[in-house]
């Protein structure tokens, strides 16, 4: 789906034409903004009441900080509650689990998924009750609706089947099940000793071809590798029409590249770039390419974007720290939780499909969200190094690369910054490659880099260091 192809009429018509979507008569995404705000505020008040009574962490926080919970009546009053740092949750995840007493029929602990534990190491458990699972499954059905999936689709789940339950694999199961489409789990990943379960890329390709998969779902890089290998191996992926490419920045160029390596209907596939994390129990997804990433469950999750210095809410569209507030959960509950990512969001009806609730919007090159500790600032612009890496991984001839940020006039604090891309190249003419590289980096980060050619050991000398240094900040 390209932005120009999606209109509110078309999206509504699509949602009405499938009984599986029609049956959710109170889908918050199709409410009026006022109706949605009313629902969110009712949910918020009940959530705060539950947190004040049954959450060890918030009971203590409200007491210590003298938070008067009954004064928080609307989303606008949320500032009365202090933010919850990521570290507080990782340090003691059990303190965020509601101990509802006496437990009701839907209060049993049903499932645990784990955070990916990227920057801090240890993955933290996140608890879902039965009530949460039903809500999540509904949210996954809305996710499928936003991405134009139908009960006639066949989904190939490429997410790794790993040692810890992770939302990538788990939620994809619910995505397909909630709609009633066919689901094929590829079980990618590595076998644990004595458990010969996992499939290779080629076996997954065989499954995709054999089942005539119409939807591929996986991590960005993994899906890309799958498609490239498929072309090489001559696997028939021509039925693919939706590619759910999650977790990493997918630029326009990468979407085109995926299509270029597919044939038939698949050469026109809709490449969805989603962004998800465990505490959100799903993914933000696009209704059209680069058109914004929808929150599929604004009744369950409220988002704020905060100024990184003051932690005050920023106006719509501005880039800042993403904070998540659970509105209707019974297992792990987090309020104004700092996810650790930078993002920008808009509220109100989507200009493309007309659905309401938050949408993350692109403010850094092609990136919806990035870990705050990973970005670098170049002349006031935020650069996501991961987006550069993804872009350069696709360029033939690039052996090693390194980004260097420095002052144009060294020693002068007022000097503008300069971004230099140091490249080592093999098997391709420099002038051919340079144009492509400059264009790709510009697309990823919005800055035109200077190019400098070097020999690989200047960036990465395996005899001296274990890993290449990808970013050097000389300011
Ligand atoms: Zn939309």
């Amino acid at each position: 789906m390209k932005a120009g192809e999606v209109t509110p009429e078309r999206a509504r018509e699509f949602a009405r034409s499938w009984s599986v979507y029609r049956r959710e008569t109170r889908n918050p995404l199709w409410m009026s903004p006022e109706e949605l705000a009313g629902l969110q505020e009712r949910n918020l008040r009940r959530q705060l009441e539950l947190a004040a009574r049954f959450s060890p962490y918030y009971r203590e926080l409200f007491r210590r900080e003298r938070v008067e919970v009954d004064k928080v009546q609307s989303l606008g009053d949320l500032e009365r509650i202090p933010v919850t740092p990521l570290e507080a949750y990782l340090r003691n995840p059990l303190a965020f689990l509601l101990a509802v007493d006496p437990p009701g029929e839907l209060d049993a602990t049903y499932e645990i998924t784990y955070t990916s534990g990227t920057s801090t190491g240890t993955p933290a458990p996140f608890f879902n009750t039965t009530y949460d699972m039903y809500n999540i499954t509904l949210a996954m059905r809305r996710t499928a609706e936003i991405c134009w999936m139908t009960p006639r689709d066949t989904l190939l789940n490429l997410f790794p089947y790993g040692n810890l339950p992770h939302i990538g694999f788990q939620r994809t199961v619910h995505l397909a099940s909630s709609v009633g489409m066919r689901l094929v789990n590829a079980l990618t990943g590595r076998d644990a000793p004595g458990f010969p379960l996992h499939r290779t890329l080629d076996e997954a390709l065989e499954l995709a071809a054999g089942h005539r998969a119409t939807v591929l779902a996986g991590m960005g890089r993994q899906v890309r590798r799958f498609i490239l290998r498929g072309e090489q191996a001559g696997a028939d992926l021509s039925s693919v029409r939706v590619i759910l490419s999650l977790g990493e920045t997918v630029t326009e160029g990468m979407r085109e590249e995926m299509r270029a390596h597919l044939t038939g209907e698949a050469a026109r596939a809709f490449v969805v770039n989603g962004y998800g994390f465990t505490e959100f129990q799903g993914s933000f997804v696009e209704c059209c390419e680069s058109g914004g990433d929808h929150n599929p469950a604004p009744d369950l999750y409220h988002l704020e974007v905060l100024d990184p210095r003051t932690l005050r809410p920023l106006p719509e569209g501005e880039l800042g720290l993403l904070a998540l507030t659970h509105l209707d959960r019974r297992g792990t509950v987090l309020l104004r939780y700092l996810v650790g990512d930078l993002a920008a969001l808009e509220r109100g009806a989507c200009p493309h499909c007309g659905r309401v609730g938050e949408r993350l919007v692109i403010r850094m090159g092609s990136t919806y969200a990035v870990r705050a500790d990973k970005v670098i600032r170049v002349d006031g612009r935020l650069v996501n190094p991961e987006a550069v890496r993804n872009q350069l991984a696709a360029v033939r001839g690039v052996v090693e690369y390194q980004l260097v940020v420095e002052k144009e006039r060294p020693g002068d604090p007022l000097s503008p910054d300069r971004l230099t891309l140091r490249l080592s190249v093999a098997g391709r003419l420099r002038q051919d490659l340079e144009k492509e590289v400059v264009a790709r980096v510009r697309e990823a980060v919005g800055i035109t880099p200077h190019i400098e050619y070097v020999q690989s050991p200047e960036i990465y000398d395996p005899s001296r260091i274990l890993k290449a240094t990808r970013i050097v900040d000389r300011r």
Side-chain angles (χ1 to χ4, degrees):
M1 285 288 168
K2 296 286 170 69
E5 297 169 346
V6 177
T7 61
E9 294 70 36
R10 197 168 165 203
R12 227 176 233 282
E13 180 50 41
F14 171 79
R16 278 203 204 105
S17 62
W18 295 95
S19 61
V20 67
Y21 296 139
R22 218 163 41 226
R23 60 186 296 194
E24 193 182 6
T25 48
R26 302 275 303 148
N27 182 340
L29 297 173
W30 291 117
M31 288 178 175
S32 69
E34 299 71 35
E35 216 181 340
L36 173 62
L39 171 64
Q40 288 173 314
E41 287 176 359
R42 279 194 304 281
N43 286 356
L44 172 71
R45 287 195 289 268
R46 192 176 43 190
Q47 186 77 88
L48 291 179
E49 231 170 82
L50 287 169
R53 289 176 66 194
F54 301 126
S55 163
Y57 180 87
Y58 290 109
R59 203 167 41 209
E60 166 62 18
L61 178 87
F62 294 167
R63 192 190 57 75
R64 198 177 61 230
E65 302 286 330
R66 297 196 173 83
V67 177
E68 294 169 277
V69 172
D70 46 352
K71 293 229 167 102
V72 184
Q73 291 290 317
S74 71
L75 295 169
D77 300 332
L78 261 184
E79 263 205 273
R80 289 173 173 270
I81 300 174
V83 296
T84 302
L86 172 86
E87 295 73 26
Y89 166 55
L90 296 183
R91 214 167 24 235
N92 189 4
L94 282 170
F96 293 86
L97 174 61
L98 294 190
V100 178
D101 185 29
E105 203 184 342
L106 301 182
D107 288 327
T109 297
Y110 195 104
E111 184 212 55
I112 303 173
T113 45
Y114 288 80
T115 61
S116 23
T118 39
S119 45
T120 30
T122 333
F126 185 92
F127 300 87
N128 287 321
T129 65
T130 311
Y131 183 83
D132 297 329
M133 290 312 296
Y134 287 160
N135 263 328
I136 287 166
T137 308
L138 270 181
M140 295 318 295
R141 194 167 69 190
R142 295 179 209 140
T143 303
E145 188 204 287
I146 296 167
C147 304
W148 306 86
M149 295 175 192
T150 81
R152 293 201 191 132
D153 277 313
T154 300
L155 186 151
L156 183 76
N157 183 359
L158 283 168
F159 282 102
Y161 179 52
N163 289 354
L164 288 176
H166 188 256
I167 57 158
F169 183 87
Q170 305 287 338
R171 291 297 83 88
T172 304
V173 171
H174 294 96
L175 177 74
S177 312
S178 64
V179 178
M181 64 178 80
R182 281 177 297 270
L183 167 68
V184 182
N185 291 311
L187 300 193
T188 65
R190 211 169 288 158
D191 283 345
F195 296 97
L197 280 168
H198 292 86
R199 295 194 182 87
T200 62
L201 203 58
D202 284 2
E203 287 169 321
L205 278 162
E206 237 170 79
L207 283 178
H211 290 284
R212 304 203 61 74
T214 59
V215 179
L216 302 179
M219 298 291 288
R221 245 171 307 169
Q222 190 192 16
V223 174
R224 176 177 171 272
R225 216 175 47 170
F226 182 79
I227 291 171
L228 294 184
R229 174 67 195 147
E231 189 189 37
Q232 216 176 39
D236 181 9
L237 298 178
S238 59
S239 309
V240 172
R241 57 175 210 92
V242 180
I243 299 169
L244 211 48
S245 179
L246 304 185
E248 291 158 2
T249 300
V250 178
T251 61
E252 217 37 64
M254 290 166 77
R255 298 182 208 241
E256 290 306 336
E257 189 201 17
M258 288 190 209
R259 281 188 281 262
H261 292 281
L262 291 164
T263 56
E265 165 144 21
R268 292 185 302 278
F270 169 29
V271 183
V272 181
N273 187 198
Y275 158 74
F277 49 96
T278 303
E279 300 86 334
F280 185 71
Q281 284 293 303
S283 179
F284 296 75
V285 287
E286 296 174 324
C287 62
C288 58
E289 292 187 1
S290 306
D293 246 351
H294 281 271
N295 170 6
D299 54 330
L300 304 181
Y301 312 105
H302 172 70
L303 293 146
E304 297 169 275
V305 169
L306 309 178
D307 183 311
R309 275 177 295 266
T310 63
L311 296 181
R312 305 256 355 242
L314 286 170
E316 272 186 45
E318 283 188 30
L319 193 66
L321 288 172
L322 195 64
L324 167 75
T325 295
H326 291 146
L327 295 177
D328 194 13
R329 284 189 47 86
R330 300 294 182 272
T332 299
V333 171
L334 299 160
L335 306 172
R336 307 197 77 215
Y337 169 71
L338 293 173
V339 180
D341 287 355
L342 289 171
L345 62 78
E346 286 178 3
R347 304 180 202 279
C350 170
H352 307 288
C353 69
R355 291 181 181 89
V356 297
E358 299 100 341
R359 277 166 304 113
L360 301 182
V361 289
I362 292 173
R363 286 290 178 275
M364 275 172 290
S366 318
T367 304
Y368 281 112
V370 61
R371 303 241 32 117
D373 53 5
K374 292 266 165 69
V375 288
I376 48 171
R377 201 177 273 274
V378 180
D379 266 347
R381 213 182 253 275
L382 292 172
V383 167
N384 174 9
E386 182 217 83
V388 176
R389 185 193 64 200
N390 287 348
Q391 282 291 35
L392 296 184
V395 181
R396 196 170 51 82
V398 173
V399 181
E400 293 290 349
Y401 76 89
Q402 184 175 61
L403 287 172
V404 179
V405 194
E406 57 204 338
K407 293 281 180 200
E408 264 178 27
R409 295 186 300 278
D412 176 0
L414 297 176
S415 158
D417 295 332
R418 177 162 62 181
L419 181 69
T420 303
L421 180 67
R422 307 175 82 208
L423 281 176
S424 83
V425 172
R428 226 178 134 189
L429 286 177
R430 285 177 177 180
Q431 60 264 40
D432 288 355
L433 179 134
E434 184 164 319
K435 236 173 104 184
E436 186 183 346
V437 164
V438 168
R440 278 178 177 260
V441 171
R442 194 167 44 221
E443 187 185 298
V445 302
I447 295 174
T448 307
H450 297 265
I451 301 287
E452 187 185 314
Y453 293 99
V454 294
Q455 298 299 317
S456 285
E458 289 180 47
I459 297 174
Y460 171 46
D461 180 356
S463 67
R464 291 182 52 224
I465 42 174
L466 286 171
K467 266 176 88 181
T469 313
R470 294 291 176 216
I471 300 167
V472 179
D473 194 339
R474 290 197 184 134
R475 290 169 296 183

